[in-house]
Amino acid sequence: MPASCTSISRTGRHGTGYFLFKALMIPAAVMGALYWWFNGRWLRQQGAVGAGVTVLAWLGIGACLGLVLYTVVLGHIGDTFHSLRRTGVVLYFSLTFLAELLFSAALIRLPGPRVRGRRLLALCGLMLVLGLLSVVLQWLVHPLYDRIEDAFEWWFALLINLHAFGVAYLWWRTEFRARLWVA
């Protein structure tokens, strides 16, 4: 029975797409790591304190390392490569979720962006429900889940990106600027 939709990475498994996918995803993962580093800095500028602010940056960076792992082994055949791909995907989605959850929780404790923090936290709640539903369906109706697994990944990726757009809006509202330079 055919799958319900195409996986996000199907284009990166063969031919020219193999190289193009890697050439775009690895720099995207590096940009993602910078995004999480800057999130920690932005939260501190807004007055956030505590270990959670530091932890969320490292969780986000770890998620991006999972994305790099996934990208590097994509297109290779064998059980080891399949396990590495699964590990990379699980690390990316789960650590990104945890970092977004910590970010949203830190916002709620700040006086200015508290309402936006609640919205982002609600988005995290939706991600949690989607993730738990995915686990339950995989356990209860594995053959059906095999057909719809890609759809769960697409929805989860959409929610992760919606959270990032919410953060970008906050950066814009506070006129946050970041610079990188090499000395």
Side-chain angles (χ1 to χ4, degrees), residues 71-151:
T71 301
V72 168
V73 299
L74 184 68
H76 297 280
I77 299 169
D79 291 340
T80 301
F81 292 115
H82 176 72
S83 294
L84 289 171
R85 279 193 306 275
R86 288 304 314 155
T87 300
V89 166
V90 168
L91 283 173
Y92 176 72
F93 282 132
S94 61
L95 294 180
T96 299
F97 166 75
L98 291 172
E100 288 182 348
L101 186 64
L102 284 174
F103 182 91
S104 303
L107 279 181
I108 288 175
R109 290 186 226 110
L110 297 175
R114 184 173 291 145
V115 171
R116 181 65 60 177
R118 285 187 190 125
R119 290 180 186 153
L120 291 176
L121 196 57
L123 195 60
C124 289
L126 188 55
M127 283 186 248
L128 180 61
V129 168
L130 185 66
L132 291 174
L133 180 61
S134 172
V135 169
V136 168
L137 287 177
Q138 185 176 17
W139 185 63
L140 289 177
V141 286
H142 188 71
L144 169 66
Y145 183 76
D146 280 347
R147 290 183 46 227
I148 61 174
E149 178 181 13
D150 292 336

Side-chain angles (χ1 to χ4, degrees), residues 153-165:
E153 290 178 4
W154 277 103
W155 278 105
F156 208 82
L158 174 66
L159 294 173
I160 283 172
N161 284 296
L162 285 175
H163 193 281
F165 280 116

Side-chain angles (χ1 to χ4, degrees), residues 30-46 53 56-57 103-104 107 110 113 116-117 120 162-180:
V30 171
M31 294 298 292
L34 288 172
Y35 164 80
W36 284 108
W37 180 260
F38 290 141
N39 273 337
R41 308 279 297 181
W42 180 83
L43 281 169
R44 282 191 191 88
Q45 285 181 2
Q46 303 308 305
V53 176
L56 79 87
F103 182 91
S104 303
L107 279 181
L110 297 175
R116 181 65 60 177
L120 291 176
L162 285 175
H163 193 281
F165 280 116
V167 172
Y169 175 77
L170 289 170
W171 285 11
W172 175 75
R173 292 281 301 199
T174 60
E175 298 180 3
F176 177 66
R177 302 286 183 263
R179 284 189 285 174
L180 293 174

Side-chain angles (χ1 to χ4, degrees), residues 6 8-9 20 25 53 70 72 88 99 113 150 154 164 181:
T6 302
I8 293 172
S9 61
L20 189 58
M25 290 304 290
V53 176
Y70 170 78
V72 168
D150 292 336
W154 277 103
W181 67 90

